[in-house]
Amino acid sequence: SSCFPCKLSLAAMGVAGRYEEYSKKEVQFIENELKDWFLQRRFAMERNMALKSTLDANNFTGLSMANQAVPDAQKVMWSDLVQGRPDLEDSLSNNAKQMKTEMYTKMFKDATDLDHACRIPGSTYLRCLSESFKDKAGTRTMKCQPSFDVFDACRKGIMQQQAQALENGLIKQDIADRRAKALFERRSILLDTQS
């Protein structure tokens, strides 16, 4: 004769065994996902640190001007190119004005490749500055204002693109981090049920 309670316990053990096996596989999957997340974050950090140290070593300052090794005179000129207004003071001699426009132009051309969106507007403004270096500041500003406005709009567009890219990158990173946190919590729950 068969024992009804015995059949129930065997069926229950089968479900418990299947759940235990499923839990082990899910824990393995979660651990693999967490390892992938960790490695991606680690590689990204190491890549970014290597890029930053290479750029710092070569006096690249970027739009944020965060490189402390760059000489102050270059920082000021770079700031003018990136967010200010490259200009020539009336107190400078004509030779000094010409030299300053050449320095602005060289710095700008070294910082932008031919495909850069602001290369043409920036070069146009700097050419206007160079061609009118003998003029007084007011006259030069009137001559060069239209080309500066185009250059300034381009710079602002680039800054906006970079701000948007940064925000999108942070959102993606936050999503990945929240997913990893949820996976870690799920892993903890599964491990607690196995104990």
Side-chain angles (χ1 to χ4, degrees):
S1 77
S2 65
C3 170
F4 181 71
C6 296
K7 286 183 180 177
L8 277 178
S9 65
L10 285 173
M13 282 177 53
V15 169
R18 285 196 304 267
Y19 177 77
E20 184 75 23
E21 190 61 31
Y22 171 78
S23 294
K24 285 179 185 175
K25 288 186 185 290
E26 188 174 0
V27 167
Q28 288 175 342
F29 169 77
I30 289 172
E31 287 175 347
N32 286 338
E33 289 290 310
L34 288 171
K35 284 177 190 173
D36 287 347
W37 166 80
F38 176 79
L39 290 174
Q40 285 177 351
R41 288 296 302 269
R42 180 68 187 213
F43 287 145
M45 181 200 66
E46 289 180 8
R47 184 195 69 216
N48 292 338
M49 293 302 292
L51 281 171
K52 181 174 179 355
S53 64
T54 300
L55 293 172
D56 284 350
N58 291 291
N59 279 348
F60 282 84
T61 187
L63 296 178
S64 66
M65 294 173 282
N67 185 352
Q68 299 303 317
V70 175
D72 289 340
Q74 287 184 357
K75 278 186 187 178
V76 170
M77 291 186 81
W78 182 248
S79 177
D80 289 347
L81 285 169
V82 171
Q83 58 197 15
R85 182 185 183 112
D87 211 349
L88 307 172
E89 299 80 19
D90 281 339
S91 61
L92 296 175
S93 69
N94 282 342
N95 285 343
K97 289 179 187 176
Q98 187 174 17
M99 190 159 92
K100 190 171 180 182
T101 59
E102 288 169 2
M103 289 169 64
Y104 275 132
T105 303
K106 181 180 180 343
M107 185 179 284
F108 181 73
K109 287 186 175 178
D110 288 348
T112 56
D113 59 14
L114 294 175
D115 295 332
H116 194 281
C118 295
R119 176 77 179 231
I120 293 173
S123 296
T124 303
Y125 171 70
L126 292 172
R127 186 177 324 108
C128 179
L129 200 64
S130 178
E131 290 170 354
S132 59
F133 74 90
K134 292 180 181 177
D135 297 340
K136 293 286 183 200
T139 307
R140 188 173 44 252
T141 299
M142 296 263 297
K143 278 185 190 175
C144 299
Q145 188 62 43
S147 57
F148 176 75
D149 290 342
V150 174
F151 175 49
D152 193 40
C154 182
R155 291 186 310 183
K156 288 177 180 168
I158 295 288
M159 295 289 242
Q160 182 62 38
Q161 285 176 2
Q162 289 199 345
Q164 189 65 47
L166 176 64
E167 186 177 334
N168 289 343
L170 290 174
I171 289 170
K172 286 179 185 175
Q173 181 176 309
D174 188 52
I175 290 169
D177 290 351
R178 288 175 189 259
R179 181 175 180 274
K181 181 181 177 191
L183 286 171
F184 188 79
E185 289 169 355
R186 175 69 179 152
R187 179 184 171 272
S188 296
I189 291 169
L190 289 171
L191 291 175
D192 286 344
T193 61
Q194 288 178 3
S195 303

